[in-house]
Amino acid sequence: MSGNTASPWSAPTASGALDATVRVPGSKSITNRAYVLAALSQGPTLVRAPLDSRDARLMLGALSALGGSWEPSGADVRVQPLRPEGSDEASVVLGNAGTVARFTPALAGLGSRPVLFDGDEAIRRRPIAPLLRALRELGVDIDDEGRGAPPFTVRGHGGIAGGKVELDSSASSQFLSALLLAAPSFDSGVTVRLVGDAPPSEPHIAMTLDLLRRFGAAPERSGPEFHVPATSLACAEYTVEPDLSTAAPFAVAAAVTGGTVRIESWPEHTTQPGAWLRELLAELGQRAELDASGLTITGTGGIPGARLDLHEVGELTPVVAALLCFADGPSVISGVSHLRGHETDRLAALATELSRLGAQVRETEDGLAITPAPLHGGVFHTYDDHRLVMAGAVLGLRVPGVAVENPATVGKTFPGFTGAWQAMLG
């Protein structure tokens, strides 16, 4: 539990079938990858329609601390290349942003001064040790006093040798993405051979490779091995797609209420894991139609129980679990043991909070077993996790009296979420 003392948010209940059009903000995953690559480029990059949220601002703050600069340009952001100068110690504030904690230490190794990395208490519990080991093998000087976690200090020596390294990325695909994103600036690029279990969220790996190509790199992949040669990056403009994972609660709202929700600007082709929502909703008997204006979801009045392997789309688990509490029969979510190392232990949190409101939910070795039962109102604790706020909102559509704790934590990915949710309900 977060221990937040702010008043909880009374999640609104739908009075009938929805008929709404929604626009969601830019993708956090794409925004922060684009910012990193822009900072490593030879010239400025105009990042169009980026997400403006806590995680995105933390990334911009990290780049500023590392010798970069940026300026707003309307709804866009112009990012200048890193110019890491000076020898005085700098500090990078991580908050609880996994992308900042994992993507920026390598950038500090390109400079010539010590940089301290630390953030919220929660970030100290999130996995990062395999990445720190790999960075050391590639030539980065890191002092973590044996913790394998923040706080740690990167002592820059003016560059990173790079080369070949083995990496266990089974706890997070961000470990792999961190090495690949920085590799064009390493003296010898990087060749990463994955060991251990396959990384979760394959779409996020594809996203990293796609952005590298957009910025002029030439990544190669052969089975468990990835190679990114050293090269100069450049991209004058890059436009960020809407965040399809943030769209998830709005998409499933149509199924929960039996109404229609249109999500504007849904891309026809994308690497985002949230794109799987179309397939999921169709599998659950809902109608999901994509055209030039976006995705239209129409609920059909019933939700069947399902067995879902969410290994590649784990971040959708909180919202999907809330949806399945309204199913006609039992469901099982599998393949998401890695969620125990996210903003909180999401599996324990979901089992606790969904059960607290009346559902029968238990943890399994790698997921959740959900048996629907009559739900009732009460406090839905969110553990400083933005996706749990969204799950609580979904429950509130059909359950009066759901009080969602600490709604402001949703600012990690969508600061205007509660207002947009209320607007969807009219």
Side-chain angles (χ1 to χ4, degrees):
M1 244 172 283
S2 71
N4 186 277
T5 57
S7 298
W9 172 52
S10 296
T13 302
S15 57
L18 296 182
D19 184 4
T21 299
V22 175
R23 175 178 289 274
V24 297
S27 162
K28 179 195 74 171
S29 298
I30 294 177
T31 295
N32 278 359
R33 283 167 171 78
Y35 283 161
V36 168
L37 291 172
L40 294 175
S41 294
Q42 296 302 300
T45 302
L46 183 64
V47 181
R48 293 195 175 277
L51 174 66
D52 182 12
S53 73
R54 187 188 186 212
D55 275 23
R57 293 184 179 189
L58 285 167
M59 179 62 81
L60 290 172
L63 296 179
S64 296
L66 294 170
S69 63
W70 58 276
E71 59 184 3
S73 178
D76 308 326
V77 172
R78 189 176 302 278
V79 180
Q80 301 291 340
L82 288 179
R83 296 286 184 262
E85 300 172 351
S87 57
D88 294 339
E89 182 174 275
S91 295
V92 169
V93 178
L94 304 175
N96 191 17
T99 53
V100 182
R102 289 146 182 175
F103 293 174
T104 60
L107 277 57
L110 299 171
S112 56
R113 57 183 175 173
V115 181
L116 173 66
F117 291 79
D118 200 7
D120 298 352
E121 185 61 35
I123 201 69
R124 298 181 178 185
R125 299 189 297 268
R126 299 182 67 179
I128 194 173
L131 172 62
L132 299 184
R133 283 196 297 270
L135 286 171
R136 285 192 183 98
E137 291 183 29
L138 293 169
V140 183
D141 183 353
I142 302 173
D143 178 10
D144 63 359
E145 298 182 352
R147 283 184 296 268
F152 57 82
T153 298
V154 175
R155 304 184 188 282
H157 300 293
I160 299 173
K164 295 184 178 181
V165 70
E166 290 188 342
L167 174 71
D168 182 348
S169 198
S170 57
S172 174
S173 65
Q174 289 178 359
F175 300 167
L176 174 61
S177 288
L179 298 182
L180 301 182
L181 289 169
S185 298
F186 294 172
D187 297 343
S188 303
V190 79
T191 299
V192 181
R193 182 171 182 82
L194 294 178
V195 296
D197 294 337
S201 195
E202 173 68 28
H204 279 122
I205 298 172
M207 178 187 292
T208 294
L209 297 175
D210 177 66
L211 265 83
L212 280 163
R213 295 185 186 101
R214 301 284 190 93
F215 277 77
E220 300 173 3
R221 178 178 188 176
S222 177
E225 191 164 287
F226 296 76
H227 176 65
V228 180
T231 192
S232 296
L233 301 178
C235 183
E237 290 189 8
Y238 182 85
T239 301
V240 177
E241 297 173 354
D243 194 317
L244 305 188
S245 295
T246 293
F250 299 95
V252 306
V256 171
T257 67
T260 296
V261 175
R262 291 166 291 277
I263 300 174
E264 294 183 337
S265 303
W266 191 284
E268 182 178 1
H269 303 289
T270 181
T271 56
Q272 291 190 63
W276 176 78
L277 281 165
R278 289 174 58 195
E279 180 181 332
L280 167 68
L281 291 166
E283 182 178 338
L284 296 179
Q286 318 304 306
R287 291 199 300 273
E289 301 171 344
L290 182 65
D291 59 26
S293 64
L295 182 67
T296 299
I297 305 101
T298 302
T300 56
I303 303 166
R307 299 185 70 88
L308 303 173
D309 183 343
L310 303 189
H311 183 72
E312 304 298 348
V313 291
E315 64 194 43
L316 301 181
T317 299
V319 164
V320 171
L323 169 68
L324 293 174
C325 287
F326 300 114
D328 299 331
S331 298
V332 174
I333 293 173
S334 63
V336 290
S337 58
H338 59 283
L339 294 189
R340 293 190 172 93
H342 276 224
E343 281 80 348
T344 186
D345 180 339
R346 283 181 172 165
L347 297 183
L350 287 166
T352 299
E353 299 306 318
L354 294 173
S355 297
R356 190 194 304 275
L357 299 188
Q360 297 176 22
V361 181
R362 62 177 177 84
E363 290 184 66
T364 66
E365 182 179 352
D366 68 341
L368 298 169
I370 302 170
T371 301
L375 299 176
H376 55 77
V379 176
F380 188 83
H381 298 287
T382 55
Y383 306 81
D384 292 326
D385 189 331
H386 57 134
R387 300 296 181 198
L388 285 171
V389 175
M390 297 178 182
V394 170
L395 293 175
L397 289 171
R398 279 175 49 178
V399 183
V402 174
V404 180
E405 177 203 47
N406 191 15
T409 197
V410 83
K412 181 180 178 71
T413 45
F414 191 174
F417 173 76
T418 56
W421 193 256
Q422 187 68 58
M424 176 186 69
L425 294 168

